[in-house]
Amino acid sequence: MILPLMGILVMAVFLLLPPMASRLLLPPLLPLSEHIDFNGEISSIGPFRTLAGPFVLGPADAPFLSIGTIRLSYTPISLVQKKISRISISDVTVHAVLGPDGITFPGMTSTPTSEKTDLNAPPDASALRLLANLGHLEIQSGMLILDQEASRFRIPFEMDLLPHGPDPARITAKLKLFPRDQPFTFTAHAELGDGPFADIQFHGQDLALGAFSDLVHKALPGLDISGLGTFTAGARVTWAHFPLTITGIHGEFSWNQGKMQYQDLGIIPDPETQTTTLAISSEDAAAWQMNLSGLQVNTDFPIKIQSVSAFLDLMADPWSLVGTAQVAGLPALVEKTDLALETPLDMAVSFSLTGGENTDDWTLQATAEPQNSPAQTQLCHPLALVLFPAPTVSVTAAGNSKAGRADWTLSAGPIKVAADPAAIDLPSVTGNGTAVFRIHENPGLQAATAAFQVPGILLSHPLASGTIGKVDLSGEFSAPLSDAGASENAAPETRDILAMTDVRLRVADGRIKHLASGLQLTGIRLDTPITLAPSSESHTGTGTFSVSRIELGKRPVGTVTGRITQTPSGVTLAAEVKGSDFPGLIARLNTNVRTTADALGHTDLEAILPAYGFSETDLGKWLPAMGGTVVSGKVSAKASGSIRGNQVSGVLDMDVADGSVYLSAQKMTISGIQTKLEVPDIAHIRTAPAQLIRFSKITMGTLVVDGGQMNFQVESPDTLFVEKGQFSWCGGKVDVGSLRITQGRSDYTANLYCQRISLSRVLEQFGSVSAKGTGTLNGRLPISYKNGRVRVDDGFLFSTPGEDGKIQITGTDDLTAGIPTGTPQFGEIELAREALKDYIYHWAKLGLVSEGEDLILRLQFEGKPAGPLPFAYENEIGGFIRVGIDSQGSVFQGIGLDINLRLPLDQILRYKNVVQ
């Protein structure tokens, strides 16, 4: 009995299982067969498993879905319960096309138009029952082939679908994708009972972003990205009522060990943490919270984005994006410049972006303020140090998807520029402007305006100080040259530069004073256009500058007016300097400053003073220390120079004709001055050797020099080297040896070599007597200068050998003043006075020596009177006495005279002894 019964049951299983398995497997596929080419077969059905395949959906030559094998695992009892414990699908290929309308599947047609699809209807109940009756579904060796234009992408995938817990209505699905061998995992935990929902998770760990470089290049040509990225995301999807409801959305992306480069813009993770993190979350897919941290943007000026926190509300009308950010300019050397930011520039940014619900209009408001307002940021340059607080910047913008406009303001200060030993102080800087830009087609800036104002600038230096009352910089900018139809042959570096249409720099009420000399410039003004990279002379602009008053010691000297012109290579200045006290005096000044990259700051200068004659003028009008110095003459000059970085060079040529100088304190006059001065090294104030200066006359009291000349060289600002000199004095010549005069030195010695100077003229100039004669002297006079005093150190002049001389000295009546008459001393002095009235000498010597504050002239003669003298020897007194006119007098065959002349105090000629 048992055996026949078992046989009947086995027969029933083989007879009943095929129809039951077919009813479970085929119904979901039958609707597809009505609209899609479908080929497939069930290869074998057994009591515990069924094998099916291959299946092909779509055209036979290009199916969108092909399945190699489907394996169904079950038991007879689960089949009776319409449940399958496991479905294993392998060798699956899905072919799709990505086009402008999204993803389509070749060979899949839409449902007939007679059938209406209710998009708000819940999922088909039969499909849900199938999922509920399924134990485990797995797909192995899957391949998604995605075609986009001429590109084909192959993405391997795997999938698992199995119950989640004991409740069959709770299902877990896991999908693994391997694009470019990078693993992505999607996991979904679904509740298929009442109020069905699914919790979906997405995860990608340490993905090599460089594997997708070709896709990145298609989206944005020129963008390169590398490094490792980790994605995590999740959400809950509910479908009890359609459309689907998505809640609890959250996601995070972390990026490390990489770099993003687009043209000159580089972005890297925070170098300290090596990680950039982006997190987003939303409870209802309408309001979103976003947080970004750890990003650094590297351009010419690197910026660190420490954190960004933003809230996006899509359901509000208008929608809004509101947030804050912490950013910092990083210490770095600004590329292609000598500027270096030494301290971080910390800024706190707040922003608000709103848009219309049914329009593409939007508005933006943003403000950047100092994060640490008391802190001073340091910007260094080889020539200066700039100290300034972070500025406050605000932006208000509005537009649509095609274009927009932004208005901005800026304020900062105080700012200090230190260029040892000079300093510049700016109490504040304010700015404002607009920008008009395109967004949709040919995105870029179309036009802009900008204006900066500085209410005052203070300049200080140990040698000078100054102020500038106001500085304005304003400008308008046009669209890029390339968009305006620039020539294809234009240089690439100029095609993308905004063309400045009206940019002006204005400086008003400037004042500079040189402290030591009292030279002061007031009323400095500048008004000039500025053009960025002018391509030809037709693109240049000319402005003006002026100095309304030049003062020297509170006395007006002149004015300056000029033109400033921007050229393709730089800036040129042409100015005229007019003198207040010198009618008709106009000096011309020309300057060229290079602004090109290869010669930035190179400056060439030229100054010309046409020949100008001026009458007697006291220099004390401008230089009080030189009061009493009166000059006149005709002067002309021409100077040229250049500045190359720290190197200064230049030459000066100056002519002086018919010049004269009068020093009232010394009662000294120099007239007939003629010189041509050559200075080949202005920077070091060094003249060429052997400069020649001539003069026609020097008078100082009774001393008179009848012309002369001197060769000299200015070796440095504080050193004058007198190479040699020669002048005419008392009918003869005097040669001067070399002498180096250095500032700060008070001890000098020079030798005067005299040739054939007239003895009588020397006595007249040095003494208080009248002298005539024919004899000449030769010799050396050592002159020293020490502590402000001039001395003669034992100088001697001798008569010319072999030549007799004759001297006639009168006006010596006061030599006997105070000497009693009738005494031998009185008689000798009287004899000497009489002999000097007409004296023939064979030999003469003049000695000069300083004694205290006096100059001692010692005259020594060997000769005799030209005739008898009215004197006779008196034995009673032992000397000579004057006799009457009736007496014959005495004839002297020889008298030696030794005379001292003390100057300038007593000027006494003393007779010392007489030798018969």
Side-chain angles (χ1 to χ4, degrees), residues 373 535 858:
S373 56
S535 57
R858 183 180 182 186

Side-chain angles (χ1 to χ4, degrees), residues 5 164 299 390 399 463-464 492 497 547 669 697 730 806 839 849 868:
L5 181 59
H164 181 62
T299 59
L463 301 179
I497 296 177
V547 179
T669 300
K697 191 173 186 179
C730 297
K806 188 174 183 179
Y839 187 79
V849 64

Side-chain angles (χ1 to χ4, degrees), residues 675-695:
T675 186
K676 291 182 179 291
L677 189 65
E678 298 179 7
V679 184
D681 190 357
I682 289 180
H684 298 90
I685 312 181
R686 182 181 180 89
T687 68
Q691 298 295 289
L692 178 64
I693 183 171
R694 292 186 175 93
F695 59 91

